Amino acid sequence: MATDLTVILENRPGTLADIGEALGNAGINIEGMCGFPCEGKGRLHILVEDGAAARRVLKDAGIQITEERKVIVLDIDDRPGAFGSVARKIADAGVNVDLGYLATRTRVVIGADDLDKARAAL
């Protein structure tokens, strides 16, 4: 099952390269990610298939992981309204989406307060 890792980085040149190289050298593919600055640091979400292996590699590289969670990865059409339709199904099931970003191959990553209920709604 796909795993989202939340990583906190120094907000300076080279930190993304460090992550990409560490995971790449270990044969771990980054299937999706999103990042943004927050309180002077970089906050990065990384989608990987093997969360335990990625966590070990990043820890060995001195990279701080603050959260690891299972997420839904869903193929989605690249057209207006596609994400709205997915989000509406989850909302109608009474589930709050608390994470969302795009991944490779036109997929959307969804984290929610009740992942099983969200998955059933889709």
Side-chain angles (χ1 to χ4, degrees):
M1 177 176 274
T3 301
D4 174 82
L5 300 174
T6 304
V7 178
I8 303 299
L9 303 168
E10 293 298 319
N11 193 5
R12 62 170 174 75
T15 55
L16 288 176
D18 293 342
I19 287 175
E21 290 168 348
L23 292 173
N25 289 337
I28 298 171
N29 189 40
I30 297 173
E31 297 188 24
M33 70 177 191
C34 73
F36 48 91
C38 182
E39 298 177 357
K41 300 278 186 181
R43 185 175 184 91
L44 183 69
H45 287 270
I46 305 171
L47 178 68
V48 294
E49 190 58 39
D50 187 344
R55 185 172 64 274
R56 279 191 304 275
V57 167
L58 294 174
K59 183 179 177 186
D60 289 348
I63 296 166
Q64 178 188 3
I65 299 169
T66 60
E67 186 178 3
E68 177 178 341
R69 66 193 283 193
K70 300 300 180 191
V71 290
I72 297 170
V73 180
L74 185 66
D75 290 321
I76 190 168
D77 291 331
D78 187 6
R79 63 168 176 75
F83 180 72
S85 176
V86 168
R88 175 56 54 207
K89 288 177 185 176
I90 296 170
D92 287 350
V95 177
N96 185 47
V97 171
D98 56 16
L99 175 68
Y101 59 91
L102 292 177
T104 58
R105 300 184 308 275
T106 318
R107 298 176 301 159
V108 65
V109 178
I110 298 170
D113 61 357
D114 187 333
L115 209 55
D116 291 333
K117 196 172 176 182
R119 193 180 331 268
L122 298 170

